[in-house]
Amino acid sequence: MSTTHISKEDVLNAFQFRHATKEFDASKKLSEDDINFILKTANLSPSSFGFEPWHFIVVQDQELRELLKPVAWGAPLKLDTASHFVLGLSMKAPMTKWDSEYITHMMKDVKQLPGDVMEMYAKFYREFQERDFNLDSDKKLFDWASKQTYIALGNMMTAAALVGIDSCPIEGFHQEKVEQLLQEKFDVDTTKYGLSYMVAFGHRKEDPSRPKSRRDFDSIITWK
């Protein structure tokens, strides 16, 4: 498979372009091709053991967006103006525990591992959970799954920036209340999935009022 490489300068320019867009231009909608491109980068994102413990809901229904506003204090302006609004769900313990049906399905049906390899893979995964990372509670397992789902978030935002599309990640929500809403109005089984973040995509209404600020490069890197 041949690949076409883009320049390092173009990639860094995309990171300079990207900012947490507070308000989008509601008149500018992303094409179906644009949003599918962004979502495909989530689909292709790496995850620990390759188990993809995530699901993404694209909320385009305005009534559902309105229902999210009271339980997501960081989202109302984005819900009103973003072209596309995505909920990043992560799997809970019943889905990600080493002996769950989902993990068996991933090894057998998605990865199509031979039986002896499945057995070895499951052993490594069990040791990872029980010994290496001490994932001995439902909360720890969900937090671990969220870490994987955040990889997909970073890739979606970077991919969007590379093609000139703006984004804004959102953690400003009441987790318990929003999950109750997801169960009641979004048909989400909240025994299996929880919300890790929201993210909005579209085109900025105006440019940032000040340049990007970051700590000095040398202050965050240590070479040994």
Side-chain angles (χ1 to χ4, degrees):
M1 181 175 62
S2 63
T3 57
T4 301
H5 297 287
I6 60 177
S7 72
K8 299 181 184 73
E9 183 181 5
D10 285 341
V11 174
L12 290 177
N13 285 340
F15 274 85
Q16 289 287 353
F17 166 83
R18 193 218 64 79
H19 77 291
T21 304
K22 300 297 186 287
E23 183 176 3
F24 296 86
D25 185 338
S27 68
K28 294 181 180 179
K29 302 298 183 183
L30 304 186
S31 69
E32 183 178 354
D33 182 67
D34 283 338
I35 192 61
N36 283 338
F37 160 73
I38 292 168
L39 294 170
K40 191 66 177 178
T41 67
N43 179 222
L44 291 172
S45 291
S47 58
S48 184
F49 288 86
F51 284 149
E52 307 172 46
W54 50 53
H55 188 82
F56 304 94
I57 299 177
V58 185
V59 186
Q60 297 305 92
D61 185 288
Q62 196 56 47
E63 290 185 8
L64 291 178
R65 287 195 183 193
E66 289 295 326
L67 291 175
L68 285 168
K69 288 181 182 180
V71 296
W73 54 266
L77 192 55
K78 290 83 167 177
L79 286 163
D80 282 339
T81 62
S83 172
H84 288 73
F85 195 87
V86 179
L87 307 180
L89 305 184
S90 298
M91 293 180 180
K92 293 184 176 180
M95 300 285 280
T96 57
K97 200 166 187 301
W98 68 271
D99 58 351
S100 71
E101 288 185 10
Y102 171 77
I103 296 302
T104 300
H105 159 69
M106 285 296 296
M107 291 190 293
K108 181 180 179 181
D109 302 320
V110 179
K111 295 181 177 298
Q112 298 185 340
L113 302 178
D116 57 335
V117 178
M118 270 185 61
E119 187 176 344
M120 180 180 65
Y121 213 75
K123 178 177 179 291
F124 287 152
Y125 185 50
R126 180 177 185 178
E127 290 176 350
F128 169 79
Q129 286 192 343
E130 296 181 348
R131 182 192 66 192
D132 299 338
F133 266 52
N134 192 29
L135 301 176
D136 57 359
S137 71
D138 289 359
K139 184 180 186 308
K140 286 182 179 180
L141 280 166
F142 177 72
D143 288 346
W144 169 81
S146 286
K147 290 178 182 179
Q148 316 314 311
T149 309
Y150 271 83
I151 297 172
L153 171 65
N155 287 340
M156 285 191 288
M157 293 193 299
T158 299
L162 282 165
V163 295
I165 293 171
D166 290 297
S167 62
C168 185
I170 300 157
E171 289 184 316
F173 56 84
H174 190 291
Q175 196 162 38
E176 183 178 340
K177 291 179 180 179
V178 78
E179 287 193 14
Q180 182 179 351
L181 178 65
L182 293 180
Q183 183 177 24
E184 294 174 355
K185 299 296 183 180
F186 288 76
D187 299 319
V188 173
D189 185 344
T190 54
T191 66
K192 295 180 177 180
Y193 292 91
L195 181 66
S196 291
Y197 55 77
M198 305 171 175
V199 57
F201 295 100
H203 291 286
R204 65 189 68 181
K205 186 175 182 180
E206 56 187 33
D207 288 328
S209 58
R210 56 184 181 179
K212 190 183 296 289
S213 60
R214 290 294 186 271
R215 292 161 58 195
D216 183 71
F217 178 76
D218 290 333
S219 73
I220 67 166
I221 309 295
T222 298
W223 292 79
K224 294 290 188 182

